[in-house]
Amino acid sequence: MPAFFLPLVILLEFVGGLAILLGFLTRFTALFTAAFTILTAFLFHSNFAEGVNQLMFMKNLSIEGGFLELGLMGQGAYSLDRLLRKKRNRPRLFAKHTSGVMPRISPVCIGGDMGQLPARHLGSGLAQLGDGGR
């Protein structure tokens, strides 16, 4: 392998490992690193006549399995991905309804389909909750 790949490999392993540790771009990083790990196993550890290469190949397969699991399951509760998603999806407390119509209320929640309610009729809509929306 050419020597100019060495800095890229070092960068991938260091930055990728740090990203997985912190939970930043977890799924992408884990899947990319899994592909890199399996490629490394087949390129450098496929001589099974030597016991050490067979051991290193199996080691890379097990590491790749961990990366695949992380890539499929996603980040944990304490990750930058989850923290950034919470900030991005935070509901606004005083959001304005531009159309003057309240959003559709789910029939599962109230027992009946009331459709769209004008904002001024919100009180009467809530009063219907007691009788199942009828």
Side-chain angles (χ1 to χ4, degrees):
M1 290 299 275
F4 65 85
F5 282 132
L6 182 62
L8 295 174
V9 170
I10 292 171
L11 184 69
L12 170 70
E13 289 183 359
F14 181 72
V15 174
L18 194 61
I20 287 178
L21 176 69
L22 297 175
F24 181 69
L25 297 175
T26 307
R27 289 182 182 221
F28 172 77
T29 305
L31 293 174
F32 188 78
T33 309
F36 172 77
T37 304
I38 196 70
L39 181 68
T40 304
F42 281 112
L43 287 178
F44 298 108
H45 304 300
S46 59
N47 183 9
F48 296 133
E50 297 179 21
V52 174
N53 273 336
Q54 186 178 9
L55 182 67
M56 292 298 150
F57 183 85
M58 297 304 263
K59 172 198 61 112
N60 279 14
L61 280 183
S62 63
I63 291 172
E64 185 249 347
F67 283 136
L68 283 178
E69 188 271 335
L70 185 61
L72 294 175
M73 298 301 290
Q75 71 280 357
Y78 304 108
S79 66
L80 289 177
D81 284 344
R82 191 166 296 233
L83 181 68
L84 293 173
R85 189 172 20 155
K86 279 184 181 179
K87 282 187 176 183
R88 188 174 46 224
N89 293 336
R90 186 180 316 173
R92 296 182 355 195
L93 292 177
F94 300 106
K96 294 181 181 178
H97 296 288
T98 57
S99 66
V101 175
M102 294 296 293
R104 184 177 179 93
I105 299 174
S106 171
V108 175
C109 297
I110 60 171
D113 187 16
M114 296 188 328
Q116 299 282 335
L117 293 175
R120 65 181 180 276
H121 290 36
L122 181 61
S124 63
L126 291 177
Q128 292 177 0
L129 289 177
D131 63 355
R134 294 182 198 116

